[in-house]
């Protein structure tokens, strides 16, 4: 059965929950973590980068909040359309329901 988007559901969350996407993300996270463990210099560079990305993300969220609030109805419509498109993709491409290694 193909899941259907509900009003409060986010299409990005649904995409991230697809087995093919989640298994790819998990594999990338394991590779990233093992690389940081194996190479201390790389770990310090990565940690500095992570802190910078977190700070930039927080600043971007704060500065975009008024715009996002104003465009919320349009985002809801776009999310609904994207969910319907994802429903169609999941129906037509069963491989999305399997981890990458399968």
């Amino acid at each position: 059965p193909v899941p259907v988007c509900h009003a409060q559901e986010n299409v990005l969350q649904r995409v991230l929950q697809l087995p093919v996407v989640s298994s790819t993300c998990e594999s990338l996270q394991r590779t990233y973590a093992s690389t940081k463990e194996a190479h201390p210099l790389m770990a310090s560079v990565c940690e500095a980068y992570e802190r910078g990305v977190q700070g930039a993300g927080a600043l971007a969220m704060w500065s975009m909040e008024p715009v996002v609030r104003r465009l919320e109805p349009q985002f809801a419509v776009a999310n609904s359309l994207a969910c319907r498109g994802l429903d169609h993709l999941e129906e037509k491409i069963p491989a999305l329901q399997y981890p990458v290694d399968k």
Side-chain angles (χ1 to χ4, degrees), residues 1 3-4 7 9 16 19 26 36 40 52 55 63-64 68 73-74 78 80 82 90-91 97 99 101:
V4 176
E9 192 170 27
L16 291 173
E26 288 168 9
K36 281 173 56 174
S63 63
M64 291 300 294
V68 170
Q74 290 86 344
S80 178
E90 286 180 292
E91 196 176 291
Q97 299 302 324
D101 59 353

Side-chain angles (χ1 to χ4, degrees), residues 43-101:
S44 64
V45 171
C46 289
E47 287 165 8
Y49 175 73
E50 290 166 12
R51 283 191 300 276
V53 168
Q54 285 174 341
L59 179 61
M61 287 297 292
W62 175 79
S63 63
M64 291 300 294
E65 186 180 357
V67 175
V68 170
R69 233 180 298 126
R70 203 168 302 131
L71 295 176
E72 201 165 353
Q74 290 86 344
F75 289 146
V77 170
N79 183 64
S80 178
L81 289 172
C83 281
R84 280 189 267 163
L86 185 56
D87 290 340
H88 183 73
L89 279 177
E90 286 180 292
E91 196 176 291
K92 298 292 182 190
I93 307 172
L96 294 174
Q97 299 302 324
Y98 299 100
V100 172
D101 59 353

